[in-house]
Amino acid sequence: MLQQLERLGIAADGRFATAEELQFVKTYLDSIETRLSAYEKIRDESDRIVEEWEETKHARPEDLFHLNGRDVTSITRRDITNVLRLSANTMLFDDLDRLRDGFLIWFQTIAKAFRWQAHARLNYRIVQDVIRHYLTPEEVAIILPAFQLEDMMLGG
């Protein structure tokens, strides 16, 4: 949203914005209550979401707590907590570009360097399933694009 507003400000410099150019603002404002509700639920339940994410990982047949022979439990807990926070902010401000350009490109380099893509893919798919237990279908629909972008960039 913020980058879209910035782009509109540049594009409409010296003139009034058209109705079509303003449509994204109307769409965003129509969804603000859902965004705020989802954000508050994620903020208030983040510890429980991370716990359920870990429980779900423990229930899987593959070992998702070791990578290259190293225990990565605390690292992945920290990372998923940060990603949960970043995803909630992305959803609140409707700004996938900022998530991609500011965090994911950097983290993608790290994931590739440590050959962590398959591990990331599973982690991001699990969090997409877990988040559904905390949000309404409408709220899930507006946060899933952030998780799906993370899954695609880090796990792909």
Side-chain angles (χ1 to χ4, degrees), residues 46-55 57-58 64-65 71-85 107 116 119 123-124 127:
S46 63
D47 291 340
R48 181 67 193 122
I49 293 168
V50 171
E51 287 173 17
E52 186 173 338
W53 168 77
E54 283 186 329
E55 290 167 9
K57 285 174 54 172
H58 275 295
L64 297 175
F65 294 94
D71 183 348
V72 293
T73 303
S74 62
I75 294 167
T76 57
R77 183 181 303 125
R78 179 203 63 209
D79 290 349
I80 205 68
T81 300
N82 288 336
V83 164
L84 194 59
R85 190 177 308 116
F107 203 53
W116 188 64
H119 197 260
N123 281 309
Y124 287 102
V127 80

Side-chain angles (χ1 to χ4, degrees), residues 91-104:
M91 178 268 314
L92 181 62
F93 295 109
D94 192 21
D95 203 347
L96 288 172
D97 292 339
R98 183 173 179 168
L99 176 66
R100 183 190 63 242
D101 298 343
F103 169 71
L104 290 177

Side-chain angles (χ1 to χ4, degrees), residues 83-155:
V83 164
L84 194 59
R85 190 177 308 116
L86 287 167
S87 300
N89 284 334
T90 295
M91 178 268 314
L92 181 62
F93 295 109
D94 192 21
D95 203 347
L96 288 172
D97 292 339
R98 183 173 179 168
L99 176 66
R100 183 190 63 242
D101 298 343
F103 169 71
L104 290 177
I105 291 174
W106 168 79
F107 203 53
Q108 181 183 52
T109 304
I110 293 170
K112 284 182 179 180
F114 288 99
R115 296 185 178 103
W116 188 64
Q117 295 98 322
H119 197 260
R121 185 176 310 110
L122 288 171
N123 281 309
Y124 287 102
R125 299 218 170 126
I126 291 169
V127 80
Q128 288 178 54
D129 292 336
V130 169
I131 201 72
R132 294 172 193 279
H133 301 153
Y134 296 87
L135 304 177
T136 68
E138 295 81 15
E139 294 165 342
V140 168
I142 62 172
I143 194 153
L144 273 185
F147 289 130
Q148 291 166 341
L149 178 63
E150 293 156 356
D151 180 12
M152 180 190 73
M153 289 189 67
L154 301 178

Side-chain angles (χ1 to χ4, degrees), residues 17-74:
T18 66
E20 293 81 24
E21 289 172 321
L22 294 173
Q23 186 56 49
F24 77 92
V25 177
K26 292 177 184 177
T27 302
Y28 176 78
L29 292 175
D30 287 344
S31 69
I32 194 64
E33 286 184 35
T34 304
R35 291 176 189 283
L36 285 170
S37 174
Y39 182 88
E40 290 168 347
K41 288 176 184 177
I42 293 168
R43 179 197 62 208
D44 296 345
E45 297 291 335
S46 63
D47 291 340
R48 181 67 193 122
I49 293 168
V50 171
E51 287 173 17
E52 186 173 338
W53 168 77
E54 283 186 329
E55 290 167 9
T56 303
K57 285 174 54 172
H58 275 295
R60 294 187 59 93
E62 60 269 69
D63 181 2
L64 297 175
F65 294 94
H66 292 85
L67 187 62
N68 301 328
R70 183 173 167 218
D71 183 348
V72 293
T73 303
S74 62

